[in-house]
Amino acid sequence: MESQDIFDRGNWGSKVAFVFAASGSAIGLGSIWRFPIMVGLNGGAIFVLCYLLSVFFIGLTVLLAELAIGRHSQKNLVGAMKLIKPGTPWKGVGYMGIITGVFILSYYSVVAGWAVGYLYKTITGAFRGEVTWQASDSLFRSFAADPLAVVICLFIIIVITTFVISKGVKGGIERWSKILMPVLFALIIILSIRAVTLPGSGTGLTFYLKPDFSGFNLNVLFYAVGQAFFSLSLGMGTMTVYGSYITKKENLVSSAGWVCFSTTLVALLAGIIIFPTLFHSLQLTPEQFKQEFEVSTGLMFQAFPIIISKMPGGYIFGIMFFILLLIAALTSTISMLEVPTSYLVDEKKWKRKNAAIVIGSIAFVLGIPSALSNGGVRFLTKANFMVIMDLVFGNIMLAVGGVLICLFIAYSWKVRNSLKEISIGSKSYKLTALWAFNIKYLAPAAVILIIVFIVIKNIL
Ligand code: PHE
């Protein structure tokens, strides 16, 4: 997008602008915070492998589908479904996406709030000198359990997100992120080089990159598919809205490919930083890790101060890192809030500012129990409130939304019509047959079977 605000339903200035904006939504805590937790909980490299397969076969398929629906209709998901298939229940998929988005925004903002807290801690010198795992771990636990601090940090994130969306200064944010995202990228690459040169990093890399096939089970696949949807911002209409700002000139296929590539790369690098650092500090073997180590929601916040403290100029480096992490998180929270806001503005004719404030306030209130469930309040912590929100909304609801989008294309809008949209601007789309197969059979069948088996396994 050029200088104009994209949410006045302008268009992105160029393909590069679109790829940056969509990657801004995609790259965030999903890749840097959530992905390593999933790897840690699901057996290491086997999860990484399943994740890569899910991104390629399912994520890319659904991403292209959402972009096509958005560009074709020039609308949010509810409006698009109403336009393409008026008078049918398909618009319900859009409503579902709106609700899912508000819930994800609520707990995602809690974690983004932790980055605010960590930025403050870094500036005030909490991580000066050598940081050990034990020190970093207890620092995280006491911070996350401080009810006032976490709720204030959550509030800060919601206020910034609401302000950006209500003022429509998104265009400005995009311009900034165009400069800052590459800097974050550079920083992550430098940190990963430092991490792999730590003594003992080899065991961490083995755990992370050498698959142990005996560890494979349906749970791993379930979380890998969920992570693919989460990290690519799929299944709730975000990419539909972003697609609605792409011009007919652009090539949807290569844009989608770039978004998948950059997001996956950041996730993979985050793991390359975290696992060698962790194995180095704790001197664990992969087996000990699997049996003894408790992967907490704070994994990233426990590991990064350690590796940052091992960098020359670590103080400045740490400040830069947490600022950039915060910006990456904000470009994602903004894209989440945009989904319900654009619905209320486009379909219900609300004022943008009112819509943003109302939804932002709801997300804040919904976020409080998540904020307090990491040690702040006992029963919420015991009930694992935030983890359950993430399971239900971040994993299951996004996957269900993604399947319904596939089914909508396959059996209602029809593959040939969507391919017409996709081929505008990308005439030489070679994988047409593969995409059609994925969207009709592979993606829906895989996701439905996985969810059904998981439900059966857990209920019976
Ligand atoms: N993809 C974002 C991230 O990884 C999170 C997100 C999910 C954003 C769903 C929008 C919609 O941080």
Side-chain angles (χ1 to χ4, degrees):
M1 194 57 212
E2 270 147 12
S3 54
Q4 171 202 11
D5 167 24
I6 60 154
F7 292 135
D8 290 331
R9 223 158 254 303
N11 285 322
W12 307 104
S14 67
K15 174 173 150 195
V16 178
F18 166 73
V19 171
F20 265 103
S23 304
S25 163
I27 298 172
L29 299 171
S31 302
I32 304 171
W33 162 75
R34 195 179 191 275
F35 174 73
I37 295 175
M38 292 292 149
V39 175
L41 288 172
N42 291 292
I46 187 71
F47 176 86
V48 178
L49 186 65
C50 293
Y51 170 73
L52 292 177
L53 293 173
S54 307
V55 165
F56 186 75
F57 286 105
I58 300 177
L60 194 54
T61 306
V62 179
L63 175 55
L64 207 46
E66 282 206 33
L67 294 182
I69 295 174
R71 187 171 73 174
H72 179 78
S73 64
Q74 303 279 302
K75 288 200 175 346
N76 63 74
L77 196 52
V78 175
M81 297 286 193
K82 279 191 190 161
L83 183 95
I84 300 175
K85 285 287 153 191
T88 61
W90 284 111
K91 57 181 178 300
V93 182
Y95 292 124
M96 211 177 84
I98 291 173
I99 294 169
T100 304
V102 179
F103 276 96
I104 296 183
L105 177 63
S106 74
Y107 70 84
Y108 190 98
S109 301
V110 171
V111 183
W114 293 349
V116 176
Y118 266 62
L119 175 61
Y120 175 78
K121 281 188 188 303
T122 314
I123 294 173
T124 51
F127 306 122
R128 275 178 186 266
E130 182 82 15
V131 180
T132 60
W133 178 270
Q134 284 70 18
S136 185
D137 179 48
S138 66
L139 196 131
F140 173 75
R141 287 178 199 278
S142 62
F143 168 69
D146 177 348
L148 195 61
V150 286
V151 173
I152 290 175
C153 290
L154 163 67
F155 185 70
I156 294 174
I157 294 294
I158 296 281
V159 167
I160 300 176
T161 308
T162 308
F163 179 80
V164 170
I165 286 289
S166 69
K167 289 280 175 218
V169 288
K170 179 102 168 74
I173 296 277
E174 294 311 342
R175 261 200 312 279
W176 273 100
S177 65
K178 231 188 281 182
I179 305 164
L180 294 173
M181 292 300 261
V183 181
L184 174 67
F185 216 71
L187 230 69
I188 288 183
I189 290 182
I190 297 170
L191 284 174
S192 45
I193 294 172
R194 181 69 192 99
V196 294
T197 51
L198 291 173
S201 66
T203 32
L205 286 176
T206 308
F207 171 76
Y208 181 53
L209 297 175
K210 189 159 171 269
D212 166 10
F213 289 94
S214 67
F216 176 79
N217 57 45
L218 266 180
N219 268 325
V220 176
L221 212 51
F222 167 72
Y223 283 110
V225 171
Q227 178 62 23
F229 282 110
F230 191 95
S231 64
L232 294 170
S233 312
L234 297 175
M236 55 168 263
T238 311
M239 288 301 175
T240 310
V241 176
Y242 274 52
S244 70
Y245 305 110
I246 312 180
T247 69
K248 299 279 183 193
K249 285 201 302 283
E250 298 333 326
N251 181 331
L252 291 187
V253 182
S254 71
S255 301
W258 275 108
V259 173
C260 279
F261 175 74
S262 56
T263 310
T264 309
L265 192 60
V266 170
L268 289 178
L269 288 171
I272 294 226
I273 298 170
I274 287 177
F275 292 100
T277 303
L278 198 150
F279 279 76
H280 158 85
S281 314
L282 289 171
Q283 314 225 321
L284 291 170
T285 65
E287 282 61 43
Q288 283 171 328
F289 177 86
K290 284 179 202 163
Q291 280 151 20
E292 293 164 24
F293 186 77
E294 187 211 335
V295 178
S296 83
T297 47
L299 184 63
M300 188 218 107
F301 294 90
Q302 292 158 325
F304 269 83
I306 302 176
I307 188 78
I308 286 169
S309 79
K310 292 186 187 299
M311 298 293 298
Y315 178 70
I316 300 291
F317 212 87
I319 294 177
M320 273 171 67
F321 175 76
F322 283 110
I323 290 179
L324 294 166
L325 180 70
L326 208 60
I327 290 168
L330 284 169
T331 51
S332 302
T333 54
I334 288 165
S335 76
M336 285 175 211
L337 185 56
E338 178 56 21
V339 171
T341 305
S342 68
Y343 163 73
L344 290 174
V345 173
D346 287 354
E347 310 292 317
K348 298 279 165 222
K349 309 293 167 225
W350 280 40
K351 283 211 179 79
R352 170 164 278 275
K353 187 171 162 198
N354 295 348
I357 293 176
V358 168
I359 304 286
S361 311
I362 295 174
F364 173 65
V365 174
L366 288 175
I368 293 175
S370 289
L372 299 177
S373 71
N374 294 277
V377 169
R378 235 170 89 235
F379 80 93
L380 290 170
T381 308
K382 272 203 139 162
N384 259 330
F385 189 85
M386 190 166 103
V387 175
I388 290 181
M389 293 281 279
D390 184 49
L391 171 68
V392 174
F393 295 100
N395 232 76
I396 299 174
M397 292 305 277
L398 290 184
V400 171
V403 167
L404 291 172
I405 290 171
C406 292
L407 295 178
F408 170 73
I409 291 217
Y411 303 104
S412 182
W413 188 25
K414 298 285 180 311
V415 170
R416 65 176 179 311
N417 293 324
S418 50
L419 276 172
K420 251 186 240 158
E421 180 63 46
I422 292 174
S423 60
I424 306 172
S426 47
K427 298 225 161 30
S428 61
Y429 182 30
K430 303 235 172 37
L431 299 175
T432 308
L434 178 64
W435 187 76
F437 176 77
N438 283 352
I439 203 127
K440 270 176 135 165
Y441 309 112
L442 185 96
V447 178
I448 290 170
L449 284 178
I450 295 168
I451 294 182
V452 168
F453 275 119
I454 294 283
V455 170
I456 293 176
K457 210 178 95 186
N458 283 308
I459 292 180
L460 299 181

